[in-house]
């Protein structure tokens, strides 16, 4: 079945550091890929998405590129801020399906 | 602003005492979902409604039921909560056009404590 594997956390960085959170997936066909962010005590917010191979999703300085050849959708940000501290979830949705399949989440802490 | 609203944000119930969580939306989306998220885990889909059609996930316990009286509201009923049902419950909505599902919008969640 479909699955998503994320880099294990927690990840702790200093402010202005470069961030990468790895995400790989297993799915048939061409799923849509998503990154969601969850701030403490809150629900999930869609951060960015990509719906086909080589698409790049971007938002708030975060980027991720849909790589079909490596089945990956790594999240990157060039310079993180304290306010980026949250849990980040990679997710996929197979073609024609309604169900989101989530990775286990990566907790990110940014220190000033 | 169009949004997904969940009430209450925090709910405490006793072991075995039925509890209902509510979700409402102003997005006019035709699909509504309920997820269970236990501490430090990924959200897990319990069921969803497409209009009035109910779709249960195969591994959702019978203890969990849902109602959708109209487009805007959806309820999660836990008939006899156990200690293992303590979790954050997330409601989400999306728009389905034919066989195409658009992105899901999540509410802030209700954190359920079972004593």
């Amino acid at each position: 079945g479909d699955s998503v594997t994320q880099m294990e956390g927690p990840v702790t960085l200093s402010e202005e550091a470069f961030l990468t959170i790895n995400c790989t997936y297993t799915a048939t066909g061409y799923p849509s890929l998503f990154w969601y962010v969850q701030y403490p005590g809150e629900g999930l917010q869609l951060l960015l998405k990509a719906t086909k191979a080589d698409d790049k999703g971007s938002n708030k300085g975060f980027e991720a590129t849909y790589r079909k050849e490596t089945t990956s959708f790594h999240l990157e940000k060039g310079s993180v801020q304290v306010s980026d501290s949250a849990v980040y979830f990679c997710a996929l949705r197979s073609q024609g399906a309604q169900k989101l399949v989530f990775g286990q989440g990566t907790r990110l802490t940014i220190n000033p | 602003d169009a949004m997904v609203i969940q009430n209450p944000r925090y709910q405490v119930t006793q072991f075995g005492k039925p509890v209902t969580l509510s979700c409402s939306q102003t997005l006019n989306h035709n699909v509504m979902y309920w997820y269970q998220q236990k501490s430090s885990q990924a959200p897990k889909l319990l069921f969803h409604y497409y209009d009035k059609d109910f779709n249960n996930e195969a591994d959702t316990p019978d203890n969990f039921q849902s109602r959708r009286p109209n487009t805007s509201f959806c309820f999660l009923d836990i008939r006899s909560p156990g200690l293992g049902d303590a979790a954050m419950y997330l409601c989400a909505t999306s728009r389905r056009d034919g066989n195409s599902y658009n992105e899901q919008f999540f509410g802030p969640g209700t954190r359920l404590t079972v004593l």
Side-chain angles (χ1 to χ4, degrees):
Chain A
D2 296 344
S3 67
V4 176
T5 302
Q6 277 182 246
M7 163 180 182
E8 278 196 33
V11 173
T12 302
L13 296 172
S14 297
E15 206 165 20
E16 299 183 4
F18 183 86
L19 168 71
T20 300
I21 301 178
N22 290 339
C23 171
T24 57
Y25 68 90
T26 302
T28 53
Y30 291 85
S32 295
L33 302 175
F34 307 85
W35 276 101
Y36 281 85
V37 58
Q38 187 174 33
Y39 297 103
E42 300 293 327
L44 277 71
Q45 298 175 28
L46 179 65
L47 182 59
L48 53 84
K49 66 179 181 181
T51 58
K52 59 183 187 296
D54 299 326
D55 267 4
K56 178 186 281 188
S58 61
N59 186 27
K60 298 181 181 179
F62 291 89
E63 291 183 341
T65 301
Y66 189 143
R67 301 285 187 203
K68 180 69 174 173
E69 64 277 13
T70 54
T71 63
S72 65
F73 192 55
H74 305 322
L75 182 68
E76 296 182 336
K77 186 175 185 182
S79 176
V80 292
Q81 306 300 313
V82 172
S83 58
D84 294 327
S85 298
V87 180
Y88 291 81
F89 290 94
C90 185
L92 70 81
R93 189 182 68 225
S94 290
Q95 286 174 298
Q98 46 70 30
K99 181 177 178 177
L100 281 173
V101 176
F102 287 92
Q104 70 269 37
T106 302
R107 182 175 298 277
L108 174 67
T109 301
I110 307 300
N111 293 321
Chain B
D1 287 343
M3 55 199 320
V4 181
I5 302 158
Q6 290 188 244
N7 285 307
R9 292 293 307 276
Y10 300 90
Q11 176 73 57
V12 180
T13 191
Q14 292 180 331
F15 184 94
K17 184 175 180 181
V19 65
T20 295
L21 309 182
S22 73
C23 176
S24 64
Q25 53 131 339
T26 60
L27 297 160
N28 201 33
H29 284 168
N30 50 11
V31 187
M32 294 186 78
Y33 308 80
W34 280 105
Y35 289 84
Q36 179 192 61
Q37 185 182 21
K38 294 189 176 180
S39 182
S40 301
Q41 295 184 21
K44 177 178 175 298
L45 183 65
L46 295 173
F47 26 59
H48 78 279
Y49 274 96
Y50 169 42
D51 288 331
K52 289 189 178 296
D53 291 337
F54 177 71
N55 298 270
N56 201 28
E57 291 298 299
D59 56 354
T60 298
D62 292 341
N63 198 26
F64 292 87
Q65 304 287 321
S66 187
R67 296 169 283 134
R68 190 180 185 187
N70 54 52
T71 300
S72 301
F73 285 86
C74 194
F75 300 98
L76 170 62
D77 301 308
I78 308 177
R79 292 192 296 189
S80 181
L83 297 179
D85 297 328
M88 174 81 91
Y89 289 88
L90 298 169
C91 175
T93 73
S94 72
R95 176 130 204 100
R96 175 179 169 178
D97 298 313
N99 286 328
S100 173
Y101 288 84
N102 295 300
E103 69 177 87
Q104 293 185 22
F105 290 80
F106 283 80
T110 294
R111 182 167 296 284
L112 178 68
T113 299
V114 181
L115 301 178

